[in-house]
Amino acid sequence: MKIVVIGGSGLIGKKVVKNLRQQGYEVLAASPSSGVNTVTGEGLSEALAGAQVVVDVANAPVWEDKAVLEFFEKSGRNLLAAEATAGVGHHVALSVVGTERLLESGYFRAKMAQETLIKASPIPYTIVRATQFFEFVGGIAQSATEGQTVRLPPALYQPMASEDVAAAVAEAAVAQPVNGMIEVAGPESIGLDESARMYLSANHDARTVTTDANAKYYGVAVDDQSLRPGDHPRLGATRFEDWLKTAN
């Protein structure tokens, strides 16, 4: 079975490619650096020739509202059209838990547009919605930093290791399409504020985290339900505390 991984050179893409190759599948890692551009369509038909499954884990290069929407819409339309022409039988896409609850953000509006295109396409699909990656906690802290203070709400979430995200995506790629969503999350709930404290402490960062219930997450007001999965998510095995020990 030939599997094409769009965004195959990124954080998750590299891990998905490695995982699937170790299982013995023929995998093509596709990205602009390898001559495959989903926004312009360059190299798409050649990459998809003979593919049974396409995994889309590409992320937008910029997060500005208009640009990110344009990326996911153009990329999604081009990719799904090329898949239809190539006779691809399963489209797997990575998205974010809680997307429909975070639409104040242009990024999440763009992810919702991507999901809508996938659902409207005739190609059987699986959308893997993951929680925030451990690797992004530093970025969350940075986005909430003013001087030496990091101001974050105590809203609970269930972040997970990118390794576990990739494993869930790879598992979905070789399973039958669910024509719906699968949610994956970390094994434990933690507050946005507390995760930032743990991250900064592990990195010997002198910034202070202040808990502020009115602080926002990338410009969006969040509570304990906003970022957490529903009742039956698949849980990654890696705990944040353990990841911090190995990541530093």
Side-chain angles (χ1 to χ4, degrees), residues 72-151:
F72 281 117
E73 286 192 330
K74 275 190 178 174
S75 176
R77 286 197 183 98
N78 287 340
L79 186 53
L80 291 163
E83 287 176 29
T85 302
V88 170
H90 188 187
H91 178 92
V92 180
L94 180 60
S95 194
V96 189
V97 163
T99 289
E100 75 285 357
R101 298 187 290 273
L102 302 165
L103 298 179
E104 285 175 71
S105 156
Y107 180 81
F108 291 104
R109 289 196 296 274
K111 289 301 285 183
M112 184 59 84
Q114 179 192 25
E115 289 187 5
T116 301
L117 285 169
I118 293 165
K119 291 173 187 174
S121 160
I123 298 160
Y125 70 92
T126 302
I127 295 171
V128 179
R129 275 190 170 187
T131 53
Q132 288 66 28
F133 312 158
F134 294 157
E135 287 82 354
F136 290 171
V137 175
I140 292 170
Q142 187 58 42
S143 75
T145 295
E146 297 169 19
Q148 285 297 298
T149 303
V150 180
R151 200 172 295 281

Side-chain angles (χ1 to χ4, degrees), residues 19-55:
N19 185 310
L20 292 169
R21 282 180 179 157
Q22 284 175 341
Q23 294 183 59
Y25 293 100
E26 179 193 348
V27 185
L28 175 68
S31 65
S33 60
S34 70
V36 182
N37 189 318
T38 51
V39 175
T40 64
E42 179 200 354
L44 258 186
S45 58
E46 295 85 352
L48 267 50
Q52 285 82 37
V53 179
V54 170
V55 176

Side-chain angles (χ1 to χ4, degrees), residues 161-214:
S162 61
E163 203 73 53
D164 292 341
V165 177
V169 171
E171 187 181 323
V174 298
Q176 291 299 309
V178 301
N179 293 312
M181 279 184 295
I182 295 167
E183 287 194 318
V184 296
E188 299 168 320
S189 289
I190 186 171
L192 284 165
D193 55 346
E194 186 56 27
S195 67
R197 267 188 210 102
M198 290 172 68
Y199 179 87
L200 296 179
S201 172
N203 285 279
H204 310 291
D205 190 313
R207 283 176 290 171
T208 303
V209 177
T210 298
T211 302
D212 180 351
N214 296 314

